[in-house]
Amino acid sequence: MFENCEAIVGEDGTTYNDDEIGETHAHYGTGGYLRHGTDRVIDPTPATVFCAETSSLHFYVTTTPVVRGGMFSAPGTTGFRKATRVATGERVTVGEKGIIPDWLIGGNVNDVTSVIIDSSFASVKSVSTAAWFYRCNALRLIDGLEYLDTSEATDMRAMFYQCRNLSSLDLSGFDTRKVTDMNGMFASCSTLESIFVSEQWNTDAVDASDMMFLDCYNLVGEDGTHYKASSYDKTRAHYGAGGYLRRHHSEYTVTIPPTGFTVFSADEPIAIPVGLEAFVCTDYNEEAETVNAVKLTSSTIPAGVGVLLKGTARQSYTMTALIGNELDEPYDDFLTDNLLVPATVPTVVSSGVMAYDFDEEDEQQHWRLLNFVLLEDKFAEVFRFIGPEADGVQLPANTAYLALAEVNGTRDGFVTIVWGNKFDVNGDGAVNVADVNVVTAEILLHPDGDGAKKYDVNSDDLVNVADVNVILAYILAHIAD
């Protein structure tokens, strides 16, 4: 009946088998080669669908049949798209140990760039997540891991194996108390820097963890423990002393020193409390040896961003982490120009990276990258105070340091902070048409572009109409403020 129908696929994903070509498979539903109309309603069924058109992998619960080659519409998406690969029911919740999941078979492994786990999937209790994202080298985003219920899972083997483009994983919702196999779970995640877990993370039942963290070269735990090539099994699968993992914190307490400001960073978005102001550092002026401290206009410090916190000297402030909260307001566009590097865990700050070429005139080596740490009210060159041969300066967690590229060093070893908004060129505390007028007047006085450095707001070494346009764009972007 179905002889040589090699391309046929039933509505539950059943594929052609040479030994099963008779009428026993002439039906839709479990084990059949046929499909029902698209208006058919089925019992809520877990489904995993890969869409080649969007390079996305979707996990959700469906009440309509979805089959390979058919059209589907996952929750949170718009319109219908073609399903490239599909797994439903037990193919999702159980799988087979050591077998690549259905949704990654057929050359799709390297095509997945994003994973979307819908809230409907929270009702699914999979006993295995083995190899779910195996060798997804292009995967950069996993959205919705909090909806993955792992309380019944026993096998997480190779789950994130070779996900080389993931820099952070938030597994705070993972309950691993029943897991026995974590072999190669994060192996070859070479750019992975942080893994967050909670008190539900437990590896007591794990009896297979060989190569769990193998080649996770950039992984750092919450106490500053760096990956060690000789230690990559479950003995490091914890937070705290000597572990590779981290925890999220619900709040932070910062005490402002006598100078009135300090450096700060966190792994979570932070609500800025009343009485505190947050600034980023931009526009290093090599001639004046200064950086501009530009105030954030949003009420939130983004996760993983180094800032200067300004407040009342010697006063302590409690800052709330916004874990899992939806942030409505946009972040400032000048964050991309921030010269502060976050140190969310204890960090050794090195002197910098020295170039191997020489200046033609004085034959002196020049620094390509110089690091500075906050010393009272200024940033101090690391190598100037500890020597270029030392390992570096140890910073505590939740701090930050200044990194300047293509810098030859400063005259006295310090960079001074200039407080304010770089677009507030007249220094009246606001950015408006008055600042445009000041820059315009400077251009008229110096039509060759050789105006005062402080009016060069776009940092192109010229004071001209381009600077006026940048200020106008800033005013328009913050007109509601």
Side-chain angles (χ1 to χ4, degrees):
M1 183 174 181
F2 293 102
E3 186 175 5
N4 295 326
C5 295
E6 297 176 355
I8 198 167
V9 181
E11 70 179 12
D12 73 334
T14 298
T15 54
Y16 176 77
N17 187 325
D18 282 332
D19 297 326
E20 299 175 346
I21 57 176
E23 68 278 1
T24 56
H25 290 280
H27 61 86
Y28 51 78
T30 304
Y33 289 156
L34 307 183
R35 307 182 188 182
H36 196 279
T38 57
D39 58 343
R40 181 186 172 206
V41 176
I42 60 175
D43 291 334
T45 303
T48 303
V49 182
F50 172 66
C51 177
E53 182 182 352
T54 59
S55 300
S56 55
L57 184 60
H58 300 264
F59 291 76
Y60 63 105
V61 171
T62 182
T63 55
T64 57
V66 56
V67 295
R68 189 177 74 185
M71 304 302 288
F72 80 104
S73 179
T77 63
T78 56
F80 284 83
R81 300 187 185 279
K82 185 176 181 179
T84 309
R85 295 292 305 186
V86 175
T88 58
E90 289 192 352
R91 291 174 182 266
V92 176
T93 59
V94 180
E96 292 183 64
K97 185 177 177 66
I99 302 298
I100 304 300
D102 286 2
W103 55 84
L104 295 182
I105 295 174
N108 301 317
V109 173
N110 295 320
D111 297 329
V112 180
T113 60
S114 63
V115 171
I116 297 93
I117 304 174
D118 182 67
S119 59
S120 61
F121 204 76
S123 62
V124 178
K125 296 182 183 295
S126 295
V127 299
S128 173
T129 60
W132 270 22
F133 313 112
Y134 181 81
R135 286 187 171 176
C136 289
N137 296 312
L139 178 60
R140 295 179 181 275
L141 171 68
I142 303 180
D143 185 22
L145 274 171
E146 67 270 23
Y147 301 126
L148 181 54
D149 186 340
T150 62
S151 59
E152 297 298 322
T154 59
D155 187 4
M156 291 186 174
R157 175 184 176 208
M159 184 176 182
F160 301 100
Y161 178 82
Q162 215 171 92
C163 290
R164 291 176 174 162
N165 274 295
L166 287 178
S167 60
S168 183
L169 279 170
D170 192 343
L171 310 184
S172 298
F174 275 33
D175 181 344
T176 60
R177 286 172 289 188
K178 294 185 178 180
V179 179
T180 60
D181 194 342
M182 288 186 173
N183 188 26
M185 184 174 178
F186 307 103
S188 295
C189 291
S190 53
T191 60
L192 189 61
E193 299 175 0
S194 56
I195 302 173
F196 293 92
V197 297
S198 68
E199 287 74 13
Q200 295 185 103
W201 178 271
N202 186 299
T203 59
D204 290 348
V206 175
D207 54 23
S209 65
D210 291 346
M211 302 185 294
M212 184 175 180
F213 298 105
L214 182 66
D215 295 341
C216 292
Y217 305 114
N218 291 292
L219 192 59
V220 183
E222 69 178 13
D223 74 333
T225 297
H226 286 256
Y227 169 78
K228 295 176 176 61
S230 60
S231 184
Y232 44 73
D233 62 7
K234 80 166 191 175
T235 57
R236 299 284 183 178
H238 62 88
Y239 47 78
Y244 290 157
L245 309 183
R246 308 185 190 184
R247 288 167 292 182
H248 279 306
H249 297 276
S250 59
E251 63 181 29
Y252 295 86
T253 299
V254 174
T255 300
I256 303 300
T259 56
F261 65 92
T262 188
V263 285
F264 177 79
S265 66
D267 284 315
E268 305 84 14
I270 301 295
I272 304 172
V274 175
L276 269 187
E277 295 177 310
F279 299 77
V280 295
C281 289
T282 66
D283 301 304
Y284 173 63
N285 185 326
E286 191 164 2
E287 180 181 345
E289 297 178 346
T290 61
V291 289
N292 290 332
V294 183
K295 183 181 176 181
L296 298 186
T297 60
S298 65
S299 62
T300 305
I301 302 170
V305 171
V307 296
L308 290 169
L309 290 179
K310 196 173 187 180
T312 302
R314 298 182 178 86
Q315 181 170 323
S316 295
Y317 297 85
T318 298
M319 299 190 295
T320 303
L322 304 175
I323 305 172
N325 290 358
E326 194 68 32
L327 303 178
D328 295 328
E329 59 183 339
Y331 290 135
D332 297 286
D333 51 10
F334 53 76
L335 281 175
T336 56
D337 301 322
N338 190 16
L339 300 173
L340 288 173
V341 179
T344 60
V345 297
T347 302
V348 175
V349 181
S350 64
S351 299
V353 180
M354 182 179 278
Y356 292 100
D357 54 336
F358 293 85
D359 184 272
E360 294 181 358
E361 295 182 2
D362 57 19
E363 296 186 350
Q364 296 294 312
Q365 284 184 313
H366 285 241
W367 293 87
R368 285 190 179 148
L369 176 68
L370 266 186
N371 291 329
F372 297 73
V373 294
L374 188 63
L375 190 62
E376 295 183 350
D377 63 343
K378 296 180 180 180
F379 284 104
E381 291 181 25
V382 171
F383 88 94
R384 190 73 72 93
F385 294 93
I386 66 169
E389 302 303 322
D391 291 336
V393 172
Q394 177 74 51
L395 291 184
N398 306 117
T399 54
Y401 62 95
L402 187 71
L404 303 179
E406 301 294 343
V407 177
N408 300 326
T410 57
R411 288 185 295 275
D412 60 1
F414 294 99
V415 170
T416 302
I417 302 168
V418 178
W419 296 92
N421 190 320
K422 70 177 181 178
F423 303 117
D424 178 21
V425 293
N426 66 355
D428 65 356
V431 181
N432 50 35
V433 177
D435 299 289
V436 174
N437 293 338
V438 169
V439 176
T440 302
E442 188 72 6
I443 294 171
L444 294 175
L445 287 173
H446 302 277
D448 57 353
D450 191 24
K453 183 70 176 177
K454 70 175 183 177
Y455 301 124
D456 178 23
V457 294
N458 67 351
S459 303
D460 65 354
D461 295 324
L462 293 172
V463 179
N464 53 28
V465 175
D467 299 290
V468 173
N469 292 337
V470 169
I471 296 174
L472 286 171
Y474 180 88
I475 293 172
L476 292 173
H478 298 83
I479 197 165
D481 300 335

